[in-house]
Amino acid sequence: SYELTQPPSVSVSPGQTARITCSGDLLPKNYAYWYQQKSGQAPVLVIYEDTKRPSGIPERFSGSSSGTMAALSISGAQVEDEADYYCYSIYNSGHHGVFGGGTKLTVL
Amino acid sequence: EVQLVESGGGLVQPGGSLRLSCAASGFTFSIYWMSWVRQAPGKGLEWVANIKQDGSEQYYVDSVKGRFTFSRDNAKNSVYLQMNSLRADDTAVYYCVRALGGNETWGQGTLVTVSS
C-alpha cells in the first residue's frame, strides 16, 4: 500500500514561518491536500490541489509541491495555529485515499 | 446549511457488528462521492472507504476489505457503513465526508468502541 510521510512535530515561535513537509512517491502525479485538526474537532481543509486555499482560510496558509514532496507553510504563525496537520493524497486511479501520519505544530 | 450527521456508534464486542448511518442535508446529495474517515483515540486520520455517486463503485482500505460494506440510498440522502467482524483496532471516531479533497464537508463523527 501507499504511504505519506510527515515529521511528527514542528515547533516555531509566534511570527515565524512554519513549514510542514509530506513525502510520497506518487505526489508527482497526484495532488496533495492539507488538513488542520484542533483538539476534539473535525479536520478542516486548509489547502487543496497542492496550492489552493479554500475560502475563509487565512492568507498566511500556503502550499507547494515539488517532485515527491509537498509542503504546507504558515507565514507569521500564530498561537491559534497550534494544531495537528495532516496531508492527504490519492492513488489507484484516484479511488483510494491515504493520510500522512500527522504533524503536531507548536507555536510558542 | 450543508450538514452531515452520523449515528449508530457505540460499544460492541470483538467479532460483533455495527451499522453506521450518515444523513445529509442542505445540498444535492446524489452528485457527490462520499467517504468514511476514521481516527483511533490519540492517533491520526485514516481513510476507510469511498462510494461513487450512484453507489455502483466502492473502494476500501485493505484493513477493512471483506468486513465493511459501504452503501448509499440517494432517495434518503444517506450513506451507511455496515461493519462486521469488528476488532479492537477498529475502535475510532468515524467521520462521514462529502467529496473528500474537493468541495468537502465533514460530519461531527460517531465513536465506535470494540471491547469485551
Side-chain angles (χ1 to χ4, degrees):
Chain A
S1 63
Y2 179 45
E3 294 183 353
L4 297 174
T5 301
Q6 299 179 234
S9 62
V10 168
S11 183
V12 297
S13 300
Q16 289 187 328
T17 296
R19 186 172 183 264
I20 299 171
T21 59
C22 173
S23 65
D25 289 343
L26 300 180
L27 289 179
K29 296 182 179 180
N30 299 308
Y31 288 125
Y33 302 78
W34 290 93
Y35 292 86
Q36 176 193 70
Q37 187 181 34
K38 296 184 178 180
S39 181
Q41 299 181 17
V44 173
L45 183 68
V46 295
I47 294 291
Y48 67 101
E49 294 181 356
D50 289 346
T51 61
K52 300 176 183 177
R53 195 174 54 248
S55 61
I57 301 301
E59 291 185 6
R60 63 181 181 274
F61 288 86
S62 63
S64 62
S65 186
S66 178
T68 60
M69 185 166 290
L72 170 70
S73 295
I74 308 171
S75 57
Q78 302 180 7
V79 173
E80 68 200 53
D81 298 329
E82 277 203 348
D84 294 322
Y85 290 85
Y86 297 90
C87 61
Y88 169 82
S89 191
I90 59 176
Y91 65 105
N92 279 358
S93 303
H95 296 142
H96 288 72
V98 61
F99 286 93
T103 298
K104 182 176 182 60
L105 175 65
T106 301
V107 182
L108 53 74
Chain B
E1 178 193 5
V2 174
Q3 199 171 12
L4 297 172
V5 178
E6 302 95 336
S7 59
L11 176 63
V12 61
Q13 292 189 339
S17 298
L18 213 55
R19 188 193 194 211
L20 305 184
S21 300
C22 171
S25 60
F27 63 96
T28 305
F29 177 74
S30 61
I31 67 173
Y32 289 97
W33 281 78
M34 298 294 294
S35 302
W36 288 96
V37 173
R38 68 184 179 182
Q39 187 169 35
K43 302 297 184 183
L45 300 171
E46 180 180 35
W47 171 81
V48 175
N50 286 343
I51 191 166
K52 195 176 178 180
Q53 293 93 329
D54 63 359
S56 60
E57 298 176 24
Q58 308 89 32
Y59 301 93
Y60 302 91
V61 67
D62 286 348
S63 60
V64 309
K65 210 172 296 182
R67 300 187 299 122
F68 289 12
T69 302
F70 194 179
S71 61
R72 66 190 295 162
D73 184 338
N74 287 344
K76 294 184 177 179
N77 289 347
S78 294
V79 295
Y80 309 97
L81 188 66
Q82 176 67 42
M83 304 185 294
N84 299 330
S85 302
L86 282 162
R87 312 185 304 219
D89 62 358
D90 294 317
T91 294
V93 173
Y94 285 74
Y95 294 99
C96 171
V97 187
R98 179 192 80 173
L100 184 62
N103 183 12
E104 61 174 58
T105 296
W106 290 61
Q108 84 289 351
T110 187
L111 176 62
V112 172
T113 303
V114 184
S115 175
S116 55

